[in-house]
Amino acid sequence: FCSYSFTATMSSTKVSLPVAVAAAALSALAAFAVASASKKRTKKVPPIKLTYFGIQGEAEKVRLAFTLGNIPFEDVVVPFSEWKELKSKTPYGQLPLLQIGEEEPMAQSYAMLRIAGRMSNGRDVFADEDVPAIEEALGFVADIERSWRIPVGIGIGPAKYGYEKGTEETNAAIKRVRETWVKEDCRNFMSLLTKKLEGKKFLIGSKVTIADCALVPKLNRMMSGGVDHVPTTCLDDFPVVKEYVSRFMSLKEVAAKHTATYVKK
């Protein structure tokens, strides 16, 4: 610190030099902290394009992470009629794609999710100190997704499960698989989720993170009524889970930007 001397007064009482220097130092440090935080919140980001179909699907978690992080992005919608032509031009024959600035578009939605979390100018949804807890939570979300993919997938592509599309036998199999999932796997995972949420607002505690961005769209889909034989009431026996979904959906950034896109029946 500077070695000049001065006298400070406070309520007409003289303050000693060491106290004054300490006060000045604290003031400077506070100002630096505020400036640093402000700089972090307002860091510049290049133009971002997120390309996917006009549904939630695998891109929704990335949209949410960008939204909660206050990162502007272009949400490019690919009509299903154009997908056949585009498919061969993608790295793995799938969407979504993420392009940041002039870089080559990248694939893999969970990689995109983590990148979006790191870019945050708003809520710190992928903070360094939270990474272990977030990664553990993402593993749990992946378990739920793997289970959920079977009842959804058998309806989208029954041939992969040994059924011919559109037959009575296939329709009966879809109904059986989905109803069994609701009674068994769904209840098992929602019981585990209820336990995990005990005493918490979000998956890892009081802070919303990219793990919540990954999970909530799946839970909304389950309750949407858009998957035959999976009733809108499928989570009614798990009020803690429904309260969690409602809490996430009520976040001001989410409510302001994406409310209309969540539940499609």
Side-chain angles (χ1 to χ4, degrees):
F1 296 108
C2 296
S3 59
Y4 61 81
S5 61
F6 63 92
T7 300
T9 61
M10 183 179 298
S11 301
S12 301
T13 302
K14 289 187 177 182
V15 181
S16 65
L17 180 60
V19 173
V21 171
L26 288 173
S27 178
L29 287 171
F32 176 77
V34 171
S36 298
S38 176
K39 184 177 180 181
K40 181 180 179 181
R41 287 195 299 269
T42 58
K43 61 188 176 186
K44 293 183 178 180
V45 295
I48 297 171
K49 289 184 179 181
L50 180 63
T51 301
Y52 195 59
F53 306 110
I55 58 174
Q56 291 183 42
E58 296 307 312
E60 189 68 4
K61 56 182 174 283
V62 187
R63 296 182 185 120
L64 287 167
F66 279 136
T67 297
L68 289 171
N70 194 29
I71 299 295
F73 67 99
E74 183 181 356
D75 199 4
V76 181
V77 174
V78 176
F80 286 107
S81 60
E82 298 178 9
W83 171 232
K84 184 176 181 180
E85 181 181 351
L86 177 62
K87 185 174 183 178
S88 62
K89 301 175 184 178
T90 65
Y92 304 110
Q94 61 188 24
L95 294 178
L97 293 177
L98 178 67
Q99 184 174 19
I100 302 175
E102 298 302 317
E103 297 293 327
E104 286 292 316
M106 63 171 292
Q108 300 302 332
S109 62
Y110 272 96
M112 299 175 198
L113 176 66
R114 291 175 172 89
I115 290 170
R118 286 298 190 191
M119 295 178 73
S120 177
N121 269 332
R123 294 177 186 265
D124 200 353
V125 293
F126 197 29
D128 288 344
E129 64 270 21
D130 297 328
V131 167
I134 291 172
E135 292 294 347
E136 190 267 352
L138 284 172
F140 177 55
V141 174
D143 289 343
I144 296 174
E145 286 186 348
R146 278 190 292 271
S147 173
W148 175 236
R149 193 174 294 127
I150 295 171
V152 173
I154 194 173
I156 296 173
K160 295 180 179 179
Y161 298 87
Y163 293 97
E164 183 181 351
K165 190 170 184 177
T167 67
E168 289 186 9
E169 180 189 11
T170 298
N171 292 337
I174 292 171
K175 182 175 185 293
R176 181 175 64 254
V177 167
R178 290 178 175 176
E179 288 180 344
T180 300
W181 184 86
V182 170
K183 293 176 183 178
E184 296 179 1
D185 278 20
C186 180
R187 295 192 66 84
N188 177 50
F189 279 115
M190 292 309 109
S191 295
L192 292 171
L193 180 55
T194 296
K195 184 177 180 180
K196 185 169 183 61
L197 289 170
E198 185 176 349
K200 301 175 185 175
K201 293 177 66 177
F202 299 104
L203 280 176
I204 73 162
S206 62
K207 293 169 60 177
V208 64
T209 71
I210 59 172
D212 303 293
C213 295
L215 178 57
V216 169
K218 301 301 181 185
L219 299 177
N220 269 328
R221 183 59 172 159
M222 293 172 193
M223 296 186 290
S224 70
V227 180
D228 290 343
H229 314 299
V230 179
T232 58
T233 57
C234 64
L235 303 187
D236 281 3
D237 288 343
F238 304 94
V240 171
V241 174
K242 295 191 71 173
E243 289 167 8
Y244 159 71
V245 173
S246 179
R247 188 179 304 119
F248 181 93
M249 298 298 293
S250 297
L251 293 170
K252 61 182 181 180
E253 300 92 338
V254 176
K257 293 184 179 294
H258 284 287
T259 302
T261 69
Y262 279 116
V263 178
K264 293 185 178 181
K265 296 185 178 181

